[in-house]
């Protein structure tokens, strides 16, 4: 049983600090009410209320508390303290402008998400009822729709660090895939065309950091591959695509 | 931090809160061409709607014959007859078309073999006025809130809704006549203070479960809208009615969906007995939440709790078809493994009744118009002010909400409010508050910056939560509530003198937490005076010293006022399309 947790936290307030610094903190384990990193952070914040980070649901569904934990992106509320060892180093999600401490500006990330037109484009059925979607068609959405847009994946991606303004990034592309494979959506062709070019999708180099850090166990890399396949099929025409694959 | 002057921005409508109800209302309003802004203290997808799991009720009849009148009957009985039947009728009647609309918007509902929306069983849902168990709860696996919130956000992106994300609303701006002219707000990232002026202000700020030590609610559920209204001397309605969810995870309080029991799970005590069969032989584990929570607490209080501290019961799921965990309950499987290290396919999950939902809130009609009761007992509308979602009390849930009726409430009443404003806002008169009316709405913020007051927010928060947990929990009685209430009065005074250390303008979370704590203490106080006054047991309000329902005295809404007084308001039975449901005893 650990008596004290030693935290090293990235601190930066642009109002008062010339440059960022790492602050060391000791927290008595008896003050930590729970087994997750977020519980430790809350206890730390009770001592020093100026430590700034986002959090809300505490159950890994709202996606607020993404951060870099011992060098790896994750959600504080889904990271068990016992997996972190004696010393815990916390930094903001990499490659994002820091607003204050662990709290980053997410606007570019959201803008890339918006750029893929993340909404169903379909004609409602004429009978006024629900679209019919078979169980297997619906299953296509599993592994995609569960994304919580925490940005752990995109901010772990070197291609995103390099071109966050032009590359949609793993999260946005996962959502693109979610709408492309939805049997109800009627804009597959337009959606695929929108991802053409050097940057929007093709900046993905298959590094797969995205899949390895996703706290929800999703695989943006596989989603990107499946979109690529559809783009190729579309470009070649189905027949030549099938021939090329024989 | 500069606090001396404020900017102003003007809109037709501001919606405070970006959860399910706010986004549903905003979607209608944005489409109407009105100038609308959604003001949210978090990016909308972080709102607590995202945590809802089990589903959303509608009599679609995809499983077999179903009727909205049966859904209405269950909702009225579930409310222990405290629900307003005009609003419940609207909600249940409009449920099917609202669900279809969500499906058309893209919500990834789970499906039946024939491609229609899958519907599961849920607590308190029956066919044919209390007969066999219904299958009425539409869902997206056990992530329905997430799917719903994302879908509504996406549709708002499609219609280019204007969002003020990470803006914190401080207080209502009200003129001398009591008309609402908007809110005072801070842009959190910069600390800039702005008067958001609007012809109509819609509060969609959600619940306040953070008043309790143990709750399923997100950190942000701090009753902001309720407190904003309470501070304007507008009474809050039925605030004693807090729902304790039977299956909060032991320790963290994280929600384990009622869908687990809807799919066939059940509760066990330390003797391995399925105790709900004894308490409620008809609906058993699918009884209403107030009933199941009380039964679990009774088991624990009588020494049949589980674990070394005998402080919880067990939720058994291991007998379910392995496919169910993959297709229908993947989210809770992951939660149980991550947060208590239990694989529900093999072992039972330790659960305990945990504060979950506020049935009470800002009194309003089904257009969302906020109401007060005047001295003659008549309803009076508050000009310019609307409320929807969990912060509102319409009342579609009365003394006990049925599972999967909350998401329904958000979309039906969010839409109704949006439509009402779209059709009627032209006839609203513009309110022009004086400079001092506006300044007053920023005063809470300014006071926190005064150095000399010295009240510590952390201690205050801990004590408030402890009082609410111990004296206003599942079972209540006069003496402990009296003691708790006295102390809360002290805390309430202290809360006005909180001092913060952080003086920065940039994302000052200490300041926002202090503003939220002040809101929570108002909500806790309203809860306490209402619970202390209602001398009967009804729905979620269970008094050891008044174990029976008392329709003669208390088939009434309670109105808790900021001065500590309690008024009563009649319960509506004004149905339009079907006969009202007559008051009767609830059978278990």
């Amino acid at each position: 049983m650990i008596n004290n947790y030693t935290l090293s936290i990235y601190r930066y307030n642009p109002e008062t600090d010339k440059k960022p610094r790492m602050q060391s903190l000791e927290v008595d384990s008896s003050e930590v009410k729970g087994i997750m990193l977020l519980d430790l952070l809350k206890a730390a914040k009770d001592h020093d209320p100026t430590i700034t980070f986002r959090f809300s649901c505490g159950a890994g569904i709202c996606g607020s508390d993404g951060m870099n934990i011992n060098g790896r992106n994750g959600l504080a509320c889904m990271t068990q303290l016992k997996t972190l060892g004696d010393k815990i180093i916390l930094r903001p999600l990499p490659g994002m402008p820091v607003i204050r401490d662990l709290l980053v500006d997410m606007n570019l990330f959201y803008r890339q998400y918006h750029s893929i037109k993340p909404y169903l484009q379909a004609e409602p059925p004429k009978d006024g009822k629900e679209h019919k979607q078979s169980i297997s068609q619906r299953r296509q959405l599993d592994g995609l729709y569960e994304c919580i847009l925490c940005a752990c994946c995109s901010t772990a991606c070197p291609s995103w660090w390099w071109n966050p303004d032009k590359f949609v990034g793993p999260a946005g592309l996962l959502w693109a895939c979610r709408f492309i494979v939805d049997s109800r959506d009627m804009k597959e062709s337009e959606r695929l065309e929108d991802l053409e070019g050097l940057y929007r999708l093709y900046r993905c180099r298959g590094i797969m950091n995205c899949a390895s850090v996703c706290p929800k166990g999703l695989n943006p890399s596989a989603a990107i591959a499946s979109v690529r396949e559809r783009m190729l099929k579309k470009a070649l025409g189905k027949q030549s695509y099938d021939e090329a694959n024989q | 931090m500069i606090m001396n002057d404020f900017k102003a921005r003007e809109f037709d409508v501001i919606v405070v809160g970006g959860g399910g109800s706010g986004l549903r209302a905003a979607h209608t309003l944005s489409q109407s061409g009105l100038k609308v802004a959604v003001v949210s203290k978090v990016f909308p997808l972080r709102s607590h709607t995202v945590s809802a799991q089990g589903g959303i009720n509608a009599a679609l009849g995809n499983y077999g014959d179903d009727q909205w009148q049966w859904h209405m009957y269950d909702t009225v009985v579930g409310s222990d007859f405290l629900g307003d039947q005009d609003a419940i009728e609207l909600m249940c009647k409009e449920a099917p078309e609202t669900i279809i609309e969500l499906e058309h918007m893209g919500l990834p509902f789970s499906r039946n073999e024939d491609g229609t929306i899958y519907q599961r069983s849920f607590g308190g849902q029956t066919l044919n006025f209390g007969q066999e168990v219904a299958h009425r709860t539409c869902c997206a696996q056990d992530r329905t809130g997430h799917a719903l919130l994302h879908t509504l956000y996406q549709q708002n992106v499609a219609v280019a809704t204007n969002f003020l994300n990470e803006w914190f609303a401080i207080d209502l701006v009200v003129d001398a006549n009591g008309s609402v002219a908007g809110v005072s707000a801070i842009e959190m990232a910069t600390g800039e203070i702005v008067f958001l002026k609007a012809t109509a202000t819609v509060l969609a700020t959600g619940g306040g479960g953070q008043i309790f030590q143990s709750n399923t609610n997100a950190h942000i559920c701090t009753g902001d809208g309720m407190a904003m209204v309470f501070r304007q001397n507008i009474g809050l309605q039925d605030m004693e009615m807090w729902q304790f969810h039977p299956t909060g995870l032991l320790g963290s309080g994280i929600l384990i969906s009622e869908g687990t029991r809807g799919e066939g799970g059940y509760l066990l005590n330390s003797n391995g007995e399925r105790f709900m069969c004894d308490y409620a032989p008809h609906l058993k584990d699918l009884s209403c939440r107030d009933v199941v929570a009380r039964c679990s607490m009774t088991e624990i209080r009588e020494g049949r709790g589980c674990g070394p501290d005998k402080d919880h019961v067990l939720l058994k799921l291991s007998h379910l078809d392995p496919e169910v965990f993959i297709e229908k309950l993947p989210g809770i499987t992951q939660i149980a493994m991550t947060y208590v290290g239990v694989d529900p396919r093999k072992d039972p999950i330790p659960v305990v009744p945990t504060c979950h939902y506020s049935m009470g809130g800002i009194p309003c009609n089904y257009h969302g118009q906020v109401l007060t009761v005047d001295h003659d007992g008549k309803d009076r509308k508050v000009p310019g002010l609307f409320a929807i979602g969990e912060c509102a009390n319409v009342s579609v849930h009365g003394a006990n909400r049925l599972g999967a009726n909350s998401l329904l409430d958000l979309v039906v009443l969010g839409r109704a409010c949006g439509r009402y404003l779209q059709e009627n806002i032209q006839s609203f008169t513009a309110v022009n508050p004086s400079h001092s009316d506006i300044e007053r709405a920023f005063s809470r913020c300014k006071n926190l910056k005064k150095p000399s007051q010295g009240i510590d927010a952390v201690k205050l928060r801990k004590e408030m939560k402890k009082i609410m947990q111990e004296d206003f929990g599942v079972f209540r009685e006069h003496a402990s509530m009296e003691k708790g209430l006295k102390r809360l009065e002290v805390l309430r005074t202290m809360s006005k003198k909180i001092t913060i250390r952080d003086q920065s303008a940039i994302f000052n979370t200490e300041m926002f937490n202090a503003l939220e704590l002040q809101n929570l203490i108002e909500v806790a106080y309203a809860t306490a005076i209402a619970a202390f006054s209602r001398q009967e047991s009804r729905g979620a309000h269970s008094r050891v010293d008044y174990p029976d329902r008392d329709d003669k005295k208390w088939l009434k809404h309670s109105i808790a006022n900021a001065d500590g007084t309690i008024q009563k308001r009649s319960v509506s039975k004004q149905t339009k399309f079907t006969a009202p449901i007559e008051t009767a005893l609830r059978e278990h």
Side-chain angles (χ1 to χ4, degrees), chain A residues 3 5 21 34 54 57 72 95 104-105 114 126 145 156 195 199 213 229 237:
Chain A
N3 290 326
Y5 291 103
R21 66 197 152 88
R54 294 187 182 97
C57 77
R72 187 186 163 84
V104 297
D105 183 345
H114 293 164
K126 294 225 160 54
Y145 89 97
L195 296 173
Y199 288 98
V213 299
E229 196 179 306

Side-chain angles (χ1 to χ4, degrees), chain B residues 367-401:
Chain B
H367 302 303
Q369 290 174 295
V370 176
L371 305 171
T372 54
V373 180
D374 66 17
H375 294 301
D376 304 328
K378 288 207 182 90
D379 288 348
R380 197 174 58 82
K381 291 173 189 122
V382 180
L385 187 61
F386 293 76
I388 48 178
E390 189 174 341
C391 74
N393 182 290
V394 189
S395 159
V396 284
H397 308 305
N400 171 63
R401 172 174 71 75

Side-chain angles (χ1 to χ4, degrees), chain B residues 88-108:
Chain B
I88 294 175
E89 180 183 55
L90 173 95
M91 181 175 80
C92 298
K93 186 164 181 293
E94 290 194 359
E97 63 161 282
T98 318
I99 299 308
I100 296 300
E101 189 181 69
L102 287 171
E103 196 281 332
H104 293 171
M105 287 179 174
L107 203 153

Side-chain angles (χ1 to χ4, degrees), chain A residues 110-154:
Chain A
Y110 295 140
R111 215 151 51 215
Q112 288 295 5
Y113 166 66
H114 293 164
S115 81
I116 63 102
K117 299 199 173 147
Y119 39 84
L120 189 76
Q121 299 179 67
E123 281 294 320
K126 294 225 160 54
D127 63 3
K129 296 199 168 155
E130 70 261 58
H131 296 95
K132 300 292 180 288
Q133 187 172 47
S134 71
I135 290 174
S136 61
Q137 285 173 328
R138 168 60 185 75
R139 208 172 276 148
Q140 299 296 308
L141 307 181
D142 289 343
L144 301 170
Y145 89 97
E146 304 93 321
C147 172
I148 58 174
L149 285 166
C150 64
C152 285
C153 60
S154 291

